[in-house]
Amino acid sequence: MRKIILMAESGSDINAELAAEYGIYVVPMHVQFGNETLDDGSFPVSKIIDYYKENKKLPKTSGSVPKDFLTAFDTLHTQRPQDHILYIAYSAITTCSFQSAVIAAEDRDYITMLDTRQVSAGHGLIVITLAKYLKQHPEATLHEVHSKAEELIERVRMCFIPENLEYLRAGGRVSNVAFLGSVILNIHPCIEILEGKLTATKKYRGKMSNVVNKLIKEYSETYDLDKEELWLVYTIGFTDELKQIAEKTAKECGFKSVFWVMCQGVITTHGGPAAFGLAGFTK
């Protein structure tokens, strides 16, 4: 029977263990440290923090290029020529990856693509949930799996809050004035993924312990998130104490389980250390 292979980029923050458990092929995005370009996920994220401290500038990130997808498509098709690849993509608005895959997939009828319009844990949540669906329904047709993926894309919601705006300022995404204002007033913008774009929608003020608590309560209520599971995402430097606060708040909100996701290189470069976010499905 023809089976379906799920594929996603490393910007989904699906680590090697999860990918192996669910049979997901992860295509690397890239991080450039000066003249050295490395595959996302192939190095400890602490390298990004160290590089910024030493050079006072951020590494550069880039999406997957056609060669990455050619390698992925050829590898999988050689290993499993009878199976179909369903590429569940990182938001096409934000990166060249989707277009790279389109170029690499030319004249290959065993590949189907779908833009999640999501990043990081929002992207990963869709892919892992779809993988679970495939395990439960191994007889599902490509049409049925595609339809399930479209349903998940419509229902997923994700946001994150940087601990401060230093990395966003260094990357040219906020001004010096906004950065200084955030430091003085202890402001943390909530950035939502809306129609594939990263959009600042609300500002939280105060300590991260209070911000984490408010964000989980308000975001889960605003979007009436399904209480079965909540994905919590963080970057290096987010403390165990804050994790405990987040889990306690999630439990108080009625979530049955919490799944933690640590960001890899691409997301850490943009969000900076000690950032926090959440992803879930609307009911």
Side-chain angles (χ1 to χ4, degrees), residues 159-161 188-192 199-204 215 219:
C159 68
F160 74 94
I161 287 185
H188 312 270
C190 175
I191 300 172
E192 293 189 56
T199 307
T201 57
K202 187 174 182 177
K203 293 178 180 177
Y204 287 85
L215 179 66
Y219 199 79

Side-chain angles (χ1 to χ4, degrees), residues 202-218:
K202 187 174 182 177
K203 293 178 180 177
Y204 287 85
R205 185 173 177 179
K207 296 178 180 179
M208 278 296 282
S209 55
N210 293 328
V211 171
V212 166
N213 183 284
K214 287 181 182 178
L215 179 66
I216 294 173
K217 289 180 178 179
E218 293 181 1

Side-chain angles (χ1 to χ4, degrees), residues 63-80:
S64 309
V65 297
K67 183 179 178 182
D68 295 318
F69 284 102
L70 284 170
T71 299
F73 295 155
D74 286 345
T75 298
L76 289 174
H77 192 57
T78 299
Q79 293 173 349
R80 298 167 59 176

Side-chain angles (χ1 to χ4, degrees), residues 7-8 14-15 100 124 151 153 155 165 171-172 211 245:
M7 178 182 289
I14 295 173
N15 61 35
S100 293
E151 175 217 321
I153 290 169
R155 291 175 53 213
L165 301 186
V211 171
I245 291 171

Side-chain angles (χ1 to χ4, degrees), residues 62-105:
S62 60
S64 309
V65 297
K67 183 179 178 182
D68 295 318
F69 284 102
L70 284 170
T71 299
F73 295 155
D74 286 345
T75 298
L76 289 174
H77 192 57
T78 299
Q79 293 173 349
R80 298 167 59 176
Q82 75 284 4
D83 294 338
H84 195 91
I85 298 170
L86 179 56
Y87 163 48
I88 308 296
Y90 189 96
S91 175
I93 293 177
T94 66
T95 178
C96 66
S97 291
F98 190 84
Q99 187 57 38
S100 293
V102 170
I103 293 169

Side-chain angles (χ1 to χ4, degrees), residues 5 15 23 65 113 242:
I5 308 168
N15 61 35
V65 297
M113 305 181 194
L242 288 173

Side-chain angles (χ1 to χ4, degrees), residues 3 6 25 27 62 66 68 72 159 168 176 180 192 220 225 259:
K3 294 185 178 180
L6 295 182
Y25 192 102
V27 181
S62 60
D68 295 318
C159 68
L168 290 174
N176 284 331
L180 291 172
E192 293 189 56
S220 61
L225 296 183
F259 184 77

